[in-house]
Amino acid sequence: MLIGIGSDLCDVRRIETVLARHGARFEQRVFTARERAAAERRQGNARLGTYAKRWAAKEACAKALGTGFAHGVFHRDMGVENLLGGQPVMHLTGGALARLEKLLPVGHEAHIFLTMTDEHPYAFAQVMIMTHVMGAG
């Protein structure tokens, strides 16, 4: 069953401006330590694209949760990581996880699908939250 869907298009140049203006303060407020490490392993537009894709993923996830960044849901409650094969996955903590748990029917668990891409100067992400009966796959 589909619980929520969200998408976001981000202008990479906007993230570049915010990073130049606020630097580490912005990075620490918005991104997890793993996200920052992933971005900092890259240079130039690849670094900016990494941050912008993750920004878009957080925006898309907040939309899929139906709250935006309200009701205790914060950017750092949503962390993008990559599986060994490169597939991006979204991990929720804090207020975002609490919101997701409120959306789940009794006896169900959630699966968050995430796709994201960037082509300078844009980054795009889409999140779908599906639920299924626990133990049913």
Side-chain angles (χ1 to χ4, degrees):
M1 170 174 47
L2 178 66
I3 290 181
I5 187 168
S7 62
D8 190 71
L9 179 66
C10 175
D11 189 325
V12 176
R13 297 165 294 194
R14 180 173 165 241
I15 299 300
E16 181 178 27
T17 299
V18 173
L19 285 168
R21 185 174 301 144
H22 300 287
R25 193 176 100 205
F26 170 71
E27 292 170 19
Q28 291 171 3
R29 191 184 84 228
V30 173
F31 300 101
T32 67
R34 290 181 83 160
E35 290 173 317
R36 293 190 309 269
E40 294 305 320
R41 285 193 296 269
R42 294 171 172 81
Q43 300 294 317
N45 285 342
R47 176 180 167 267
L48 296 172
T50 299
Y51 277 123
K53 283 186 290 192
R54 281 152 180 78
W55 173 271
K58 293 165 188 281
E59 293 281 334
C61 188
K63 292 170 185 173
L65 290 170
T67 59
F69 292 99
H71 307 287
V73 175
F74 299 99
H75 287 88
R76 279 199 9 202
D77 292 342
M78 296 169 253
V80 176
E81 297 177 14
N82 293 88
L83 300 178
L84 290 177
Q87 178 185 358
V89 293
M90 178 72 72
H91 292 286
L92 303 185
T93 60
L97 180 58
R99 172 62 181 168
L100 176 61
E101 289 170 348
K102 286 181 183 177
L103 295 173
L104 291 176
V106 174
H108 284 68
E109 57 190 1
H111 185 83
I112 302 172
F113 294 92
L114 167 64
T115 187
M116 52 188 195
T117 190
D118 66 300
E119 181 68 38
H120 194 78
Y122 299 106
F124 174 80
Q126 185 168 34
V127 170
M128 286 181 30
I129 303 174
M130 303 290 293
T131 182
H132 58 270
V133 176
M134 282 189 211

